[in-house]
């Protein structure tokens, strides 16, 4: 800056031959950076490409005002869906303190920190491919899951259940969970009659970034990847009913319980 003022610094990276743009590829945000500061960034991952086949939801959590994003509570569309499907989110609700806190130090660009008490993002009704699908997120757990119990990272259901009820649902979690009651990550599905899940990747290290992918194919399999490694799998011997996804939350299940304590970044649904 010729005037010597502090600046915001943004670093973009991707593997798209079409070049960079501000809808994807943001990997670093430097806030209030002093003039003449040398910045070194260690690139270890890339954001999800919004043009990925089958993508139905993508939330970078970068708080970019040019896309209508802001970090204020209970404002519709304040968390932009970069998949282009219009599944924008709302931070918390009308109750004070229910919005997670944005910070510029996410895994890729910015991220939201959830307090484990009442913070969440409400995405609402979504349409997904019921035959097969994937949940993906980067997470840092900040409270010992073996003490705090299960924390819901991403939850989708047909009614406002508590995470293990009789409703149809899919969820990605961290902590002491069914089916194996260990300090692991888990992916779980139920169609209200049948249910199954798989867990692994533990014990969870507090403050460490983990890349989670839970994927499934009905009447076939369910798999969990942690940092690109398949850590567990199970048979998924039932189908998911179509058209019953009335609720989608990041940081909690349908009911006000089992809130996630930690930082979440780069959430995607296929």
């Amino acid at each position: 800056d010729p005037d010597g003022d502090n600046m915001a610094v943004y670093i973009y990276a991707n593997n798209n031959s079409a070049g960079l743009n501000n809808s994807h590829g943001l990997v670093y945000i430097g806030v209030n950076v002093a003039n003449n500061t040398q910045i070194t960034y260690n690139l270890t991952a890339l954001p999800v490409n919004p043009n990925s086949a089958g993508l139905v939801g993508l939330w970078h959590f970068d708080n970019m005002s040019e896309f209508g994003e802001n970090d204020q509570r209970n404002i519709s569309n304040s968390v932009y869906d970069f998949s282009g499907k219009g599944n924008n989110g709302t931070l918390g609700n009308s109750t004070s303190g229910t919005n997670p806190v944005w910070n510029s130090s996410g895994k890729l660009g910015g991220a939201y920190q959830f307090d484990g008490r009442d913070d969440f993002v409400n995405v609402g009704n979504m349409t997904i491919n019921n035959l097969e699908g994937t949940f993906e997120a980067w997470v840092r757990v900040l409270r010992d899951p073996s003490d705090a119990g299960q924390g819901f990272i991403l939850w989708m259901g047909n009614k406002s259940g508590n995470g293990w009820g009789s409703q149809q649902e899919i969820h990605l979690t961290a902590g002491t969970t069914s089916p194996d009651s260990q300090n692991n990550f888990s992916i779980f599905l139920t169609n209200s009659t049948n249910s199954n899940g798989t867990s692994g990747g533990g014990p969870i290290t507090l403050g460490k970034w983990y890349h989670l992918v839970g994927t499934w194919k009905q009447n076939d399999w369910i798999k969990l990847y942690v940092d690109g490694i398949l850590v567990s799998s199970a048979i998924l011997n039932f189908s998911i009913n179509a058209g019953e996804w009335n609720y989608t939350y990041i940081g909690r299940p349908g009911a006000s319980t089992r809130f996630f304590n930690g930082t979440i970044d780069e959430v995607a649904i296929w």
Side-chain angles (χ1 to χ4, degrees), residues 175-192:
T176 304
T177 63
S178 295
D180 63 359
S181 298
Q182 298 295 318
N183 184 1
N184 282 318
F185 300 105
S186 297
I187 178 75
F188 175 89
L189 288 87
T190 177
N191 64 0
S192 76

Side-chain angles (χ1 to χ4, degrees), residues 82-257:
F82 285 85
S83 75
K85 300 301 190 295
N87 296 308
N88 301 327
T90 301
L91 300 172
N93 55 26
S94 60
T95 302
S96 178
T98 54
N99 54 305
V101 176
W102 185 80
N103 66 73
S104 60
S105 302
K107 175 62 181 180
L108 297 165
Y112 277 102
Q113 185 165 323
F114 298 73
D115 65 6
R117 296 188 302 271
D118 55 7
D119 290 357
F120 65 95
V121 178
N122 183 3
V123 178
N125 183 285
M126 287 188 65
T127 300
I128 66 170
N129 181 354
N130 289 60
L131 299 177
E132 57 185 306
T134 299
F135 281 5
E136 179 177 358
W138 282 94
V139 303
R140 292 174 68 230
V141 180
L142 298 181
R143 182 175 64 187
D144 190 346
S146 62
D147 294 333
Q150 184 181 35
F152 276 64
I153 299 163
L154 180 56
W155 180 91
M156 178 179 285
N158 67 337
K159 60 183 179 180
S160 189
N162 66 2
W164 295 103
S166 59
Q167 70 281 352
Q168 174 168 288
E169 66 179 82
I170 306 169
H171 63 239
L172 184 65
T173 61
T176 304
T177 63
S178 295
D180 63 359
S181 298
Q182 298 295 318
N183 184 1
N184 282 318
F185 300 105
S186 297
I187 178 75
F188 175 89
L189 288 87
T190 177
N191 64 0
S192 76
T193 301
N194 302 289
S195 62
N196 202 4
T198 190
S199 300
I204 296 169
T205 300
L206 298 186
K208 176 184 176 181
W209 280 108
Y210 289 93
H211 181 234
L212 307 179
V213 174
T215 186
W216 66 90
K217 184 176 182 180
Q218 67 176 15
N219 295 311
D220 201 340
W221 45 256
I222 179 171
K223 299 176 181 180
L224 176 66
Y225 295 82
V226 178
D227 294 335
I229 299 172
L230 177 63
V231 296
S232 60
S233 62
I235 295 172
L236 189 66
N237 57 356
F238 56 88
S239 61
I240 301 296
N241 302 320
E244 295 189 14
W245 304 106
N246 300 322
Y247 301 91
T248 307
Y249 289 105
I250 300 169
R252 59 169 268 193
S256 296
T257 184

